Structures are given as structure tokens and as C-alpha cells.
């Protein structure tokens, strides 16, 4: 599509003699148009999907055609975080920290089944069931792994989302700054600081049950005791 | 001599650069945005530029390509849908990450199982696209789709595929996997003929 | 007397002491060594019998017998089958002497057994958790340890059919997440470990630098998010100026519980999971697992399947080495152009994989007793075209492009040297070992499948530096092309799987160790069956994980900029390192 057409804002009459020379648009449109064509992804790979992401950046699929070729290893220079692969509990504090370091506006793409919802490894004890437990995800791309073309489709879906945003309503420009996401802590298991109260309630109940010798839910009872050394 | 290695290397990159234009010149307009052009650039003879310009150009996927599974239904004369699935549960049992959920239909009168699924779900956030369900289905009822353009904004609403979203006509299956479809149809017909013969 | 026992005695005569006993359980092999004499036996095996490389160490939890077993596979670098020996200890508080003084290459594997199974190795220099973090509750691979999303001991789960009312696992779990905590635990009072144990081990270097100039030593973390670490790998480096004093790798950022999941899955369900180990060379992983299980089942694939398998494995090797070379150059600072050229060839090979198996990376193509389906029409011609015409030309082009480049040579020659003795001691395999002058290639040393039929040379280089590790990959690509040409010449017609394809396989009781020469090194699968539909133990001997022993050795005394290149020259894939 001709970029000018996407920019052109209907509703304003341009005299016929000036068509093609003058365009009337809204701030939102021109701002989003420039943003969506220079989304810089962060150079950050987690697992198998990262290889497909590299392939997308390489010769055959070449996402520099979308203005995305500048993959930055530093979060401070990136707009999009492509969470490409299985998010493990050991890694999630770092991912949250990276997200907090990204400048706004920032987007998260969950690439593949693992990043969306845990994927085939969901049942694993060290796997987070989807990065959206911690970060706000904008686009989910199913597939294991999504092929490069599927990733490109996902990135185009993100571009469409960017296009529809408005400066007025976007959370980046609200008067109150968006607070950083609390970094999860590695305890006996992964702990999200927002859930401390819930965790305490749960472990208290467990302890009570244990004291009474009540056989509660098998799956939770046996959990912690396994192979305590 | 020092520096010759670097220069020779640069000659290689320069060659790649030149090749693109030479090939463009040779092939003319049909090099881009045509089926022939895509095939040529994706082939072993490819020289110079290697990019396929998705979304305007799409790299064709081979017949065996697998993404998310779907359920095949045969269309009757009046457009009614007859799902091939008999809810035997083999796909749910063989699925490595256990992402298939099937509720079997029970006859409301007798309470005995009826060979049709009442509900059928696939959690695509768990599915690993391994293709076992399609491989081991004895009724050719579940097959792997070619459609990979399914990115979404909300996984909670959209990523558990239900019976409605999974069902696709046999004609679609025949379109994406012609060779497999022909082979399976022939096998089924041969079996039916064998059954009818004695 | 079993077959294996007889081969043991004929091979080693009276050299085996009388206090070791042959493992007499049906389907098992090797010998059982008393715990008290393990070290003595290890020295004997290494020094008298020539088993100089300890390939694999792992534990098995025999819950019903109340025993914990540690299984060792040692091999001779002159070739031949591995020697299996085991020690048995009680399950409660198992303590085994560490064999690190005998084979330093046992280091990470013993740490892994401690982390996942809770086996304490006495005398281990640095026994910390390796894949999970310090402070994690429990040892997950113990059979009585259950994960938060635990449903049943084995798949298929009953909740899926016939009353499979869909639900997400987090909707059922008590905390609506994949977490669990010990009773009475208070999160407020928890102080995270913060890698205290790790830094404690490095602090000794900070105190005295030994030089006349007063300099400070620094501890620097590289990773887990760093563009040069090939994924989520972390190195903790002690620096004296720019010189590396010591280095410790930190693992586990991609630990996906492969083995725990593998023990829940049925035998065939594990096949697609192996794809995701070394995700660049999925076909090789399939190969290793298929061999291990076929050995237990006692079946052999038909001829055509064998040829297809070798063809796929060699194509995979080319893919993997191309990627390795490309990213090595990336690490050197030749940013992206060599990768682009390497990935072009990779794409063409992936097209073949996609046509054959349906997926570019996660092929899931091998089955027990053959392969999933025959080659589609036209694939053989395409492979022929690629192998005869394009690949040799392109490899020469990469050679011309990079090998003589002065910058590459200055950065690589004589940097990160690994001697043959140290490579063997540290259990390195694959290109890392062969670049140090040890011509050990499983395809020749202990031929599997039909590799004994092909003519090829074991690529070997003698300097053990980064440059040789780069060159040896080009050599191996050329040898693979040579094998492929023979495969294409000889491939017969016929069936591609023995028997009917089955979704439930019966695997007799016993243990088996299937190993292949993967692109990264010796890839081994140790499986134990108790006759049930799912494996009792499923362990992966991951080459890139064990090759990482050599990283600190090579980096010490070098410059910090070289670490990145040294890591690139080992060629790791994190999916396999952390599993």
C-alpha cells in the first residue's frame, strides 16, 4: 500500500489542484506511522524460537524490510521485546528487569507456544506458564516454533496495533507514570512480590493441615517434602 | 602479503552484491512477485538476492508442512457436516504434551458411547506441532494445517481451539495435501471394496 | 553368563578385580562396584585398562528398592564400546565419593546429579546446584518429588479422554500458577541466595593479585542476556585488567525439565521432545534416542531407513557446523555477513527437512524401527543437486572468504589452546576433542547404524586453538558431503519402517545407552525401562554441556574479548546445555 494513503486523513477537503502535493493527517496517524515502521526489536533469544527469529532477520525473510533490522542487545535502545522461547523461573527475574529498562512506548511479542502459555514444557517445574504472568503481552504467535513467516505475520499484527493507538489514550503518556513491574524473587520456588500475601496464606494453611495430619490435596501435600536434603 | 586475505574475502561479498543485479537483468520483471520468481529464488540455483518479500510474496510450504491440527469433515449433498472423528481418543493419548481434550458423546437414551465427539479442544499454547495426532489417527480425521497466520491479541479468548474452530472441510484438506488425500482416499475405497466383495 | 559379561572378561581378562560383580539384573550390563572402593576402581580403569575419557555420569532413583544408583560410562579414546560401571547407595542421604580427581570431566555431571537427585559427591571441589538455583526446595528428579502441575505419574492422563473437559493447568493449581512452597514458609523472611556460594568460590582470587603493582581484581558477569552467549548462558569472570584469572559458567537459565517430563511421557512421546534439545540439529537427537530404544527393543530398521537416517544426520551436521562457523565469526565481530551466507545454505537444507518431515527445525522424523515416512517425490533429486553442485562450491566460498583473512587468523591462531591430554581429561568430545589432535569419532570408533560402510576420514587438527576448531568444522562438512554422495549412490528402495507403525510400543525391561556422533560431540541417551509404557529413567548425555568443562581451561590467562570467541568455538546450544 502506498504509505501516503495510509496517512491521508479523510474528512478534510483538499482542493483538487493541490491533491498530490498536500496531505492532511492527524498527529496520531503520522506519529503511529513513523513508529510502526521503525520498531526496533531487542536482540534477545531464549530458546528454539530464537533461531527462527535469527532466520527472520537473515537473508531469506529479512525483516529490515519492516524497519526492524536494528536489533539492539541493550534494552535501552529497543522498542519490542520478542520473547522467543521457553521462559524459565530462573530467567524470569532477568526478563522482567530487561522489560523495566526498556524505554516507553514498549511492546512485548510472545513468540511461540512456550512464551504464550508454557508450551510443551508447561508441566515442567522450572517453566513459567506464559510470559503474560509477568509482562503485558501485545501479540501472541502460536506455533512451536512459529516459522519465520508466522513471526513476520505476528510483527505485522503488532504494527496494526501500533497504528490504532492514540496519544490521548495510550498509557505511556498518562499523567501518572507507569510503575515498573516488581522483579520476582527466587525462593524455594518463584515468588512474585505482588503475591506474597497469597503465598503466606497458602503456606499457613498447608502447615495447619500438616499439623492436624489431614490428608489434603495430594498434589500440593507431597510437593515440598520430596527430597529435602 | 598482509591484507590479501581481507581483500579476497571482500571480493566474495562484492560478488554476492553484483550477482543480484546480474540475475535481475537476466530474469527481467518476472523475478519478483511472481510464482516463478519465488520458486527460482528459493531454489538451489538461487544466486544474489535470496529474500522472499513476505507478505507480498509467500514462500510456498511443502505438502508435509505441519502447524496446528484441524479436524476433517466430509460435506454431504445438502451441505451437512459429517465429522470423521469417532472420538476414539488415540490422538489425545499419543499427544506428547497432552494438549487435546475430547468429550465423548453418549447416547441420551442408552447411555452408551456414540462414535462422535461432543466436545473437542486443542490448547494451541501447549501444542508442539509434532504431528503425532495426524500420524496415528486411524480414521484420517485429524490432520495438520498449513495456515500459520494466526497471531492474536488475546490468548485467553482465542488460543483454546474448539470443535467449531477446528473443523475444516475435506475439500480444504484435499487442497493443502493433494498427494496424501489421494492416497488415503484410494486406500479407504480399496478397503470398502474388499469389504463389499465377499 | 550373558553376552556382555563374556565380552567383558575376554576383553579385560583377569584385570578386573574380584570385588566387582557383574550386573546380573536382566537387560542390564556392566559391573557394580562397592562404594568404598570406587576411587580405587576408577584409577584402575583409567590407568590400567585405558578408559581415559569419562563420558557420562548420572543417577537413577530406584524408589521401590530404596536404592540410588550412580551409573558411569567410561570409554577409551582408541575406540570401542563404553564400559559401564555402577555404585549403589541407600536412597536416604546418598553419599558417593567424587571421581573428579580421576576424571575432571565428571565435575558438572556430578553437580547435576546432586542438583536433580540429591546424591552428595564427597570430595567434589565445588558441589553446588547447577541447573536450579541455590535455595530451591527439593531434588526434582527423585521419584517421590512432584511438580506443582503434577497430574499423574505417567501419560496419557485420564482427564483428557473420554471426559476431557478442557481447563488450563493454572486454573486447577492452588496458587493459580506453576509454583509450590513448603508448609509454613514466609516469603517476607526469605533472603535470596544471590549466588553467594558462587562468588565465595571466586573471592580467593580477589585477595592477592601477586603482582608488584597494586591492582584490583574484578568480578564481571557476562550474561544471561548477552548477545555473544548464544542464548541464556552466563559466565562469571574474574579479571585482572583485561586478563582472565578464572571463569565459572552458570547454567540453568533454559532448564526445561527435559528429563522429568521424559519420565512422565511414553516412549514414543519423547521423540518430539528430543528435537528441542539441540534445536539446531534435531535429526541427530532423534537418531540417538531411536538407537537407544531400538537397542532395548531389539529391532533393526530396514535398509532404506538406515540410509535415510544417515542422510538426515549428515545434512544436520552440515547445518550445525554452518551455523557454528557463522556465529563464530559473529563473535569475532564480523557482524552478520558470514552468518547470512551460512544461513542461506542452511535454509536450503531446511527446505529439504521441511519437505521430508514437515517442520524446519523440529523434525520429529525418526521412529523406533525406521523413519516416519518415505522421502516425498523429488527430494532425493534436490539433495543430490545440493550435495553435488551447490554445497561444495559454497563451502569453498566460505573458505575463501574467511580462512585466510588476516583478522580472523590473528584473533584465532594460538588463542584458547586446549591440549589433547586436557581435552580427554575434561571429557570433551566432538570437534573440540578432534581439533586438539585426538581422532576420536564415534562413527569410526564405535560404528553405529551403517557408518561402517562409508568411506570418510575422521577430521583431525592438532593445534587445539580456535582457528583449528574453526577449520575442523569445514573439514567435517566436506567429509559429510563425501558420505552423502555415497548415500545417494547406494540408497536402496524398500520399506522405511520395520513392522507396522505403532503408537504404543512395548519396551522390555533393561537399560540401554544409545550414542551417536552428533555435530557437537557424543550425544548419548541413557534409558532404563521397567516394562511399563514410559521410561523409568531417561537421561541425556549432552555434548555441549560437557564440552563446557573446557571453557575455563581455555579462557584462563586470555583476554576478556577472547572468551566470547572461545565460547563460540565450542559451539554450544543452550537447549542442550540446560535441557
Amino acid at each position: 500500500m502506498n504509505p501516503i494513503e495510509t496517512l491521508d486523513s479523510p474528512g478534510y477537503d483538499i482542493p483538487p489542484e493541490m491533491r498530490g502535493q498536500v496531505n492532511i493527517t492527524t498527529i496520531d496517524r503520522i506519529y503511529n506511522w513513523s513508529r510502526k515502521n521503525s520498531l526496533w526489536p531487542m536482540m534477545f533469544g531464549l530458546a528454539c524460537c530464537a533461531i527462527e527469529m535469527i532466520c527472520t532477520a537473515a537473508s531469506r525473510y529479512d525483516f529490515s524490510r519492516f524497519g526492524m533490522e536494528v536489533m539492539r542487545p541493550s534494552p535501552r535502545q529497543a522498542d519490542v521485546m520478542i520473547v522467543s522461547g521457553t521462559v524459565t523461573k530462573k530467567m524470569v527475574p532477568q526478563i522482567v528487569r530487561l522489560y523495566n529498562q526498556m524505554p516507553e512506548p514498549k511492546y512485548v511479542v510472545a513468540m511461540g507456544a512456550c512464551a504464550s502459555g508454557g508450551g510443551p514444557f508447561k508441566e515442567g517445574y522450572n517453566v513459567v506458564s506464559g510470559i503474560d504472568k509477568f509482562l503485558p503481552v501485545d501479540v501472541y504467535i502460536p506455533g512451536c516454533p512459529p516459522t519465520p513467516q508466522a513471526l513476520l505475520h505476528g510483527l505485522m499484527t503488532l504494527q496494526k496495533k501500533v497504528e490504532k493507538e492514540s496519544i490521548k489514550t495510550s498509557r505511556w503518556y498518562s499523567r501518572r507514570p507507569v510503575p515498573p513491574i516488581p522483579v520476582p524473587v527466587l525462593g524455594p520456588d518463584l515468588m512474585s512480590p505482588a503475591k506474597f500475601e497469597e503465598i503466606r496464606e497458602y503456606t499457613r494453611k498447608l502447615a495447619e493441615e500438616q499439623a492436624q495430619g489431614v490428608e489434603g490435596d495430594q498434589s500440593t501435600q507431597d510437593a515440598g517434602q520430596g527430597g529435602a536434603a | 602479503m598482509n591484507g590479501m586475505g581481507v581483500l579476497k574475502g571482500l571480493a566474495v561479498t562484492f560478488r554476492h552484491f553484483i550477482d543480484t543485479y546480474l540475475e535481475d537483468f537476466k530474469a527481467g520483471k518476472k523475478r519478483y512477485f511472481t510464482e516463478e520468481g519465488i520458486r527460482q529464488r528459493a531454489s538451489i540455483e538461487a544466486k544474489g538476492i535470496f529474500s522472499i518479500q513476505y507478505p507480498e510474496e509467500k514462500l510456498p510450504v511443502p505438502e508435509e508442512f505441519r502447524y496446528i491440527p484441524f479436524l476433517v469433515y466430509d460435506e454431504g449433498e445438502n451441505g451437512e457436516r459429517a465429522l470423521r472423528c469417532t472420538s476414539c481418543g488415540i490422538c489425545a493419548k499419543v499427544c506428547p504434551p497432552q494438549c487435546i481434550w475430547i468429550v465423548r458423546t453418549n447416547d441420551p437414551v442408552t447411555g452408551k458411547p456414540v462414535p462422535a465427539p461432543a466436545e473437542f479442544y486443542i490448547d494451541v499454547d501447549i501444542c508442539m506441532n509434532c504431528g503425532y495426532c495426524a500420524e496415528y489417527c486411524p480414521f484420517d480425521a485429524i490432520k495438520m494445517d498449513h495456515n500459520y497466520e494466526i497471531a492474536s491479541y488475546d490468548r485467553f479468548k482465542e488460543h483454546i481451539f474448539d470443535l467449531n474452530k477446528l473443523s475444516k472441510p475435506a475439500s480444504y484438506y484435499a487442497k493443502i495435501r493433494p498427494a496424501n488425500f489421494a492416497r488415503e482416499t484410494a486406500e479407504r475405497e480399496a478397503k470398502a471394496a474388499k469389504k463389499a466383495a465377499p | 553368563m550373558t553376552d556382555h559379561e563374556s565380552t567383558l572378561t575376554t576383553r579385560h581378562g583377569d584385570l578386573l578385580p574380584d570385588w566387582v560383580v557383574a550386573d546380573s539384573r536382566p537387560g542390564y550390563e556392566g559391573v557394580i562396584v562397592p562404594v568404598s572402593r570406587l576411587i580405587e576402581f576408577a584409577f584402575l580403569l583409567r590407568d590400567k585398562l585405558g578408559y581415559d575419557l569419562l563420558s557420562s555420569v548420572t543417577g537413577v532413583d530406584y524408589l521401590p528398592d530404596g536404592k540410588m544408583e550412580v551409573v558411569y560410562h567410561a570409554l577409551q579414546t582408541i575406540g570401542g564400546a563404553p564400559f559401564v560401571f555402577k555404585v549403589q547407595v541407600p536412597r536416604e542421604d546418598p553419599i558417593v565419593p567424587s571421581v573428579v580427581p580421576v576424571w575432571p570431566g565428571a565435575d558438572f555431571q556430578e553437580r547435576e546429579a546432586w542438583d536433580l537427585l540429591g546424591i552428595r559427591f564427597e570430595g567434589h571441589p565445588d558441589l553446588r546446584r547447577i541447573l536450579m538455583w541455590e535455595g530451591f526446595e527439593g531434588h526434582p528428579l527423585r521419584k517421590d518429588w512432584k511438580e506443582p502441575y503434577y497430574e499423574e505419574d505417567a501419560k496419557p492422563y485420564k482427564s483428557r479422554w473420554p471426559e476431557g473437559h478442557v481447563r488450563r493447568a493454572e486454573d486447577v493449581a492452588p496458587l493459580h500458577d506453576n509454583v509450590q512452597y513448603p508448609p509454613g514458609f514466609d516469603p517476607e523472611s526469605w533472603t535470596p541466595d544471590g549466588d553467594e556460594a558462587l562468588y565465595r568460590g571466586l573471592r580467593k582470587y580477589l585477595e592477592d593479585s601477586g603482582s608488584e603493582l597494586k591492582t584490583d581484581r574484578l568480578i564481571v558477569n557476562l550474561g544471561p542476556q548477552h548477545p555473544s552467549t548464544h542464548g541464556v548462558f552466563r559466565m562469571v569472570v574474574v579479571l585482572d585488567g583485561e586478563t582472565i584469572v578464572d571463569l565459572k559458567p552458570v547454567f540453568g537459565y533454559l532448564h526445561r525439565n527435559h528429563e522429568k517430563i521424559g519420565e512422565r511421557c511414553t516412549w514414543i512421546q519423547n521423540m518430539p521432545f528430543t528435537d528441542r534439545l539441540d534445536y539446531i540439529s534435531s535429526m541427530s537427537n532423534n537418531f540417538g534416542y531411536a538407537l537407544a530404544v531400538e537397542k532395548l527393543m531389539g529391532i533393526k530398521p530396514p535398509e532404506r531407513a538406515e540410509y535415510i537416517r544417515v542422510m538426515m544426520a549428515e545434512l544436520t551436521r552440515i547445518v550445525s557446523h554452518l551455523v557454528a562457523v557463522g556465529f563464530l565469526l559473529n563473535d569475532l565481530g564480523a557482524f552478520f555477513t558470514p552468518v547470512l551466507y551460512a544461513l542461506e545454505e542452511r535454509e536450503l537444507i531446511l527446505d529439504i527437512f521441511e519437505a521430508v518431515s514437515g517442520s524446519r527445525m523440529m523434525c520429529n522424523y525418526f521412529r523406533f524401527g525406521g523413519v516416519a515416512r518415505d522421502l516425498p517425490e523429488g527430494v532425493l533429486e534436490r539433495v543430490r543437486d545440493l550435495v553435488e553442485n551447490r554445497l561444495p562450491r559454497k563451502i569453498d566460498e566460505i573458505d575463501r572468504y574467511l580462512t585466510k583473512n588476516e583478522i580472523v587468523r590473528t584473533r584465532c591462531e594460538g588463542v584458547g589452546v586446549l591440549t589433547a591430554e586436557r581435552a580427554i581429561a575434561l571429557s570433551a568430545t566432538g570437534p573440540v576433542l578432534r581439533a586438539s589432535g585426538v581422532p576420536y569419532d564415534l562413527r569410526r570408533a564405535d560404528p553405529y547404524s551403517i557408518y561402517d560402510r562409508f568411506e570418510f576420514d575422521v577430521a583431525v587438527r592438532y593445534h587445539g586453538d580456535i582457528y583449528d576448531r574453526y577449520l575442523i568444522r569445514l573439514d567435517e562438512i566436506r567429509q559429510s558431503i563425501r558420505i552423502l554422495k555415497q548415500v545417494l549412490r547406494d540408497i536402496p528402495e524398500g520399506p522405511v519402517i520395520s513392522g507396522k507403525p505403532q503408537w504404543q510400543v512395548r519396551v522390555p525391561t533393561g537399560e540401554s545407552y544409545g550414542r551417536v556422533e552428533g555435530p557437537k560431540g557424543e550425544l548419548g541417551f541413557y534409558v532404563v525401562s521397567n516394562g511399563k509404557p514410559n521410561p523409568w529413567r531417561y537421561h541425556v548425555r549432552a555434548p555441549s554441556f560437557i564440552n563446557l568443562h573446557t571453557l575455563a581451561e581455555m579462557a584462563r590467562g586470555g583476554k576478556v574479548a577472547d572468551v566470547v570467541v572461545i565460547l563460540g568455538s565450542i559451539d554450544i546450544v543452550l537447549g542442550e546445555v540446560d535441557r
Side-chain angles (χ1 to χ4, degrees), chain C residues 303-522:
Chain C
E303 275 293 283
R304 186 176 170 83
E306 293 273 29
Y307 277 90
I308 293 177
R309 282 178 169 196
V310 170
M311 183 164 98
M312 292 304 158
E314 293 309 317
L315 283 174
T316 305
R317 193 181 316 278
I318 296 175
V319 165
S320 173
H321 284 347
L322 278 171
V323 172
V325 168
F327 283 103
L328 176 69
L329 265 291
N330 229 11
D331 294 342
L332 275 170
F335 204 68
F336 241 40
T337 312
V339 182
L340 292 183
Y341 292 172
L343 287 187
E344 262 182 37
E345 307 316 305
R346 177 173 182 261
E347 286 289 341
L348 291 173
I349 298 177
L350 291 197
D351 281 350
I352 290 168
F353 287 169
E354 198 177 26
V356 171
S357 73
S359 184
R360 291 155 47 86
M361 283 169 68
M362 305 308 171
C363 298
N364 185 22
Y365 183 54
F366 288 37
R367 298 286 177 272
F368 308 133
V371 292
R373 61 185 76 79
D374 204 348
L375 302 173
E377 223 172 288
V379 165
L380 218 50
E381 287 67 44
R382 250 160 82 193
V383 179
R384 188 164 289 138
D385 216 11
L386 197 65
V387 167
E388 302 278 348
N389 304 325
R390 186 168 171 120
L391 281 177
R393 189 159 48 85
K394 285 291 172 179
I395 301 308
D396 289 345
E397 189 186 278
I398 289 180
D399 201 359
R400 204 162 60 239
Y401 178 34
L402 302 169
T403 309
K404 292 273 170 59
N405 188 307
E406 284 80 3
I407 303 168
V408 173
R409 293 184 60 173
T410 336
R411 287 287 311 270
C412 295
E413 281 178 340
V415 178
V417 176
L418 183 71
T419 60
E421 293 76 41
R422 288 305 288 166
I424 293 172
L426 292 167
S427 297
T429 47
V432 178
L433 181 66
R434 288 192 288 272
S436 291
V438 184
Y440 184 82
D441 186 322
L442 269 182
R443 292 173 293 174
R444 271 274 183 276
D446 186 14
Y448 52 93
S449 188
I450 50 166
Y451 274 107
D452 46 357
R453 296 183 198 173
F454 300 116
E455 229 175 77
F456 67 97
D457 299 322
V458 173
V460 61
R461 298 259 169 180
Y462 297 93
H463 297 105
D465 55 2
I466 298 172
Y467 195 60
D468 272 10
R469 282 193 286 279
Y470 154 72
L471 286 175
I472 203 156
R473 296 211 159 86
L474 292 186
D475 294 347
E476 284 190 13
I477 294 177
R478 295 205 169 102
Q479 295 303 328
S480 290
I481 292 175
R482 214 169 134 197
I483 296 175
L484 279 169
K485 282 183 180 161
Q486 296 169 52
V487 169
L488 289 168
R489 189 191 63 206
D490 297 342
I491 185 165
E493 288 296 319
V496 292
I497 189 157
S498 63
K500 260 179 92 179
Q502 288 173 312
W503 65 276
Q504 283 167 307
V505 289
R506 293 202 69 80
V507 180
T509 316
E511 63 167 4
S512 132
Y513 183 65
R515 51 180 197 157
V516 292
E517 183 69 36
K520 313 274 192 297
E522 179 191 323

Side-chain angles (χ1 to χ4, degrees), chain C residues 165-177:
Chain C
H165 295 285
V166 70
R167 55 185 172 71
R168 289 190 162 97
E170 49 267 53
D171 298 339
V172 187
L175 281 164
H176 303 294
D177 205 350

Side-chain angles (χ1 to χ4, degrees), chain B residues 165-179:
Chain B
K165 204 165 174 180
L166 285 169
S167 304
K168 289 187 179 174
S171 55
Y172 173 76
Y173 174 48
K175 200 181 96 208
I176 62 168
R177 290 172 192 260

Side-chain angles (χ1 to χ4, degrees), chain B residues 118-189:
Chain B
E119 293 168 44
F120 197 110
Y121 299 99
I122 291 176
D123 190 341
V124 294
D125 286 337
I126 298 179
C127 175
M128 70 200 296
N129 308 163
C130 68
Y132 272 165
C133 46
E135 198 174 320
Y136 292 110
C137 177
F139 303 99
D140 301 323
I142 187 164
K143 292 290 165 195
M144 302 304 280
D145 206 344
H146 279 188
N147 181 20
Y148 50 81
E149 293 169 320
I150 44 176
S152 69
Y153 295 121
D154 187 353
R155 79 175 170 107
F156 292 99
K157 272 189 214 139
E158 292 172 30
H159 279 200
I160 291 187
F161 286 17
D162 59 6
L163 202 51
N164 190 27
K165 204 165 174 180
L166 285 169
S167 304
K168 289 187 179 174
S171 55
Y172 173 76
Y173 174 48
K175 200 181 96 208
I176 62 168
R177 290 172 192 260
N180 275 310
F181 182 78
R183 197 192 62 233
E184 284 159 11
T185 316
E187 272 171 21
R188 241 194 334 272
E189 272 163 11

Side-chain angles (χ1 to χ4, degrees), chain B residues 16 46 66 96 98 102 135, chain C residues 155 160 164 363 367 390 397:
Chain B
H16 271 251
R66 48 186 151 85
Q98 299 280 296
I102 307 172
E135 198 174 320
Chain C
K155 292 174 184 175
R160 302 299 195 266
C363 298
R367 298 286 177 272
R390 186 168 171 120
E397 189 186 278

Side-chain angles (χ1 to χ4, degrees), chain C residues 23-333:
Chain C
D23 194 345
S24 55
R25 290 169 289 182
Y28 283 72
E29 54 182 348
V31 295
I32 296 177
V33 182
V35 183
S36 53
R37 307 185 85 160
L38 175 67
I39 298 297
E40 189 186 334
F41 183 73
F43 273 117
L44 177 117
L45 207 59
R46 190 190 72 178
D47 300 335
K48 291 261 168 61
L49 300 178
Y51 285 91
D52 43 1
L53 197 150
L54 184 70
S55 168
S56 151
V57 182
T58 187
V60 187
D61 177 9
Y62 287 102
L63 178 66
D65 309 336
K67 266 190 291 197
M68 198 62 95
E69 190 175 275
V70 182
V71 186
Y72 301 84
H73 287 81
L75 50 91
Q76 297 164 312
T77 43
I78 52 168
F83 186 88
V84 193
F85 61 102
K86 300 154 190 174
V87 291
Q88 293 183 332
V89 280
R91 235 184 129 257
E92 295 315 316
D93 200 19
I95 298 177
V96 176
S98 166
V99 294
V100 172
V102 191
W103 291 289
D107 185 351
F108 295 161
Q109 301 190 66
E110 286 188 345
R111 275 177 67 192
E112 187 191 320
W114 156 245
D115 186 358
L116 300 183
L117 283 155
I119 302 168
R120 200 182 290 278
F121 289 89
E122 225 166 26
H124 189 286
D126 187 19
L127 195 65
R128 285 179 290 122
R129 278 183 181 272
I130 187 164
L131 296 176
M132 302 306 287
W133 58 91
E134 224 41 72
F136 182 76
E137 182 76 15
H139 299 285
L141 273 185
R142 288 187 157 230
K143 287 285 177 187
D144 51 6
W145 191 94
K146 294 188 174 85
E147 61 267 48
Y149 283 167
Y150 172 82
E151 235 186 290
E152 277 172 60
D153 271 337
K155 292 174 184 175
Y157 296 146
K158 289 186 188 70
S159 62
R160 302 299 195 266
W161 180 88
E163 287 297 317
H165 295 285
V166 70
R167 55 185 172 71
R168 289 190 162 97
E170 49 267 53
D171 298 339
V172 187
L175 281 164
H176 303 294
D177 205 350
N178 189 7
V179 288
Q180 62 191 9
Y181 306 94
F185 168 74
D186 181 16
E188 297 286 353
S189 63
W190 175 265
T191 37
D193 170 74
D195 293 327
E196 185 48 42
L198 167 71
Y199 293 127
R200 206 181 305 131
L202 291 170
R203 211 158 281 151
K204 60 172 185 259
Y205 296 110
L206 297 183
E207 277 148 18
D208 98 279
S209 66
S211 80
E212 285 178 23
L213 273 176
K214 207 165 158 43
T215 53
D216 272 343
R217 288 185 171 178
L218 285 177
I219 293 183
V220 176
N221 275 291
L222 273 135
Q225 200 281 118
H226 191 276
S228 69
T229 54
H230 295 219
V232 283
F233 179 64
R234 176 173 156 209
M235 298 177 272
V236 184
V237 192
V238 183
L239 287 180
D240 184 6
E242 277 220 36
T243 312
I244 286 164
V245 182
D246 199 15
L247 180 149
K248 276 199 195 294
V250 184
F251 307 88
Y253 293 98
L254 191 59
H255 178 45
R256 303 193 274 198
N257 330 121
H258 192 84
E259 292 176 11
K260 187 80 178 174
I261 293 175
E263 286 166 18
R264 297 245 185 277
C265 284
T266 62
W267 291 96
I268 199 156
Q269 283 174 350
N270 271 333
M271 190 62 86
F273 279 104
T274 63
D275 288 339
R276 285 149 181 87
L277 279 170
D278 174 356
Y279 35 74
I280 295 188
S281 40
S282 65
M283 292 277 199
S284 277
N285 306 340
N286 283 185
F287 205 168
Y289 181 59
L291 280 183
V293 180
E294 277 163 10
K295 220 183 205 173
L296 266 179
M297 292 168 72
I299 51 172
K300 257 190 95 62
E303 275 293 283
R304 186 176 170 83
E306 293 273 29
Y307 277 90
I308 293 177
R309 282 178 169 196
V310 170
M311 183 164 98
M312 292 304 158
E314 293 309 317
L315 283 174
T316 305
R317 193 181 316 278
I318 296 175
V319 165
S320 173
H321 284 347
L322 278 171
V323 172
V325 168
F327 283 103
L328 176 69
L329 265 291
N330 229 11
D331 294 342
L332 275 170

